[in-house]
Amino acid sequence: MKKLVKLLLITMFCAFSMAAYAADKAEVLEALDGAWYNPDGSYAFKIDAKDSSIEEGKIVDIKHAISDDTIYTEATWVIEGEGQQVEVRTAADRIGDTMLICFLGTDSFQNTEKIDYPESVAGVYIGMTRDQVKEKLGTPSNSTMEVPYVIERDGVEYKSIANLIRDEYKEKKMEIDYLYDRVFGIYVEKSSAEKLDKSGLTAVNSAEEFVKAYDVNTGGARYMSDENGTILPIDDDQFIWVGKTSKGEEAIYLSRHAVD
């Protein structure tokens, strides 16, 4: 499973490819302009691209950006307020039609009150925060976090705020993967009692049944199948992997899909 996740992270998962991060501050803020909400849908703050403001502060610079072909899309925001400046490492992401901002790797916000999602497991869907998942599933049996990725930009070296976390729920035979405090992957073993909420399918079902249930175009470039399993795109940026792990165990993995 670990090998599979590494493959997905490198080749399939795509954070919001914020081309503006490679351009200038004005383009970044224009892309993020408007109201932002807490994960529960309540209003949090507003970004105004016209005057480079974020609530009571002013964004005076965006620097040390990274938005290449990795899963990381980060930059340092220099925010001025009450005569002082602070530097905040910030990540940008996108899930479907919803944009996300994460500050310091822990506080994340969205620009829609709700996140639309094509599928979920046990009420857990791509884009939920870790706290929201814990409200659904309880405290995980075990948690691990990858060593922060070290990034060097403009002569500055720093640790990524991605916080790649995996929470294991042994009784449910599920594992939840997080990036920037949001779910990006849900792993379910064959022996789990949990099913995909909308289709009702599990790892027991065949790839052909998944294709039919989600009306997958098997001739599309994003559909891939080999002896280890099948990757099925179920919407523009989410997919389901169904197959066998390196231990020969059947499983499904609902996750993010690369966005063209």
Side-chain angles (χ1 to χ4, degrees), residues 192-254:
S192 173
E194 302 298 338
K195 301 178 180 180
L196 289 160
D197 292 328
K198 295 184 179 181
S199 70
L201 298 180
T202 71
V204 174
N205 295 99
S206 66
E208 289 73 21
E209 289 175 292
F210 279 85
V211 167
K212 183 177 180 179
Y214 297 99
D215 193 24
V216 175
N217 175 16
T218 57
R222 292 176 178 172
Y223 173 85
M224 290 184 282
S225 185
D226 58 27
E227 67 274 9
N228 296 317
T230 302
I231 294 176
L232 306 103
I234 60 174
D235 77 351
D236 287 342
D237 71 350
Q238 289 187 34
F239 72 94
I240 294 174
W241 174 87
V242 53
K244 293 184 178 180
T245 67
S246 57
K247 296 180 180 180
E249 299 169 346
E250 293 177 323
I252 56 175
Y253 190 68
L254 172 64

Side-chain angles (χ1 to χ4, degrees), residues 4-17 68-73 92-96 100 126-127 162 164 177-186 224 231 237-239 253-260:
L4 168 65
V5 172
K6 287 289 187 182
L7 174 65
L8 296 176
L9 288 176
I10 294 171
T11 65
M12 297 300 296
F13 179 77
C14 181
F16 165 54
S17 61
D68 52 23
D69 293 331
T70 73
I71 61 173
Y72 307 97
T73 304
D93 198 358
R94 182 174 71 82
I95 295 176
L100 302 173
I126 304 302
L164 183 58
D177 291 326
Y178 301 88
L179 189 74
Y180 297 118
D181 190 47
R182 299 279 179 151
V183 175
F184 80 83
I186 305 166
M224 290 184 282
I231 294 176
D237 71 350
Q238 289 187 34
F239 72 94
Y253 190 68
L254 172 64
S255 189
R256 295 285 301 279
H257 194 289
V259 180
D260 290 337

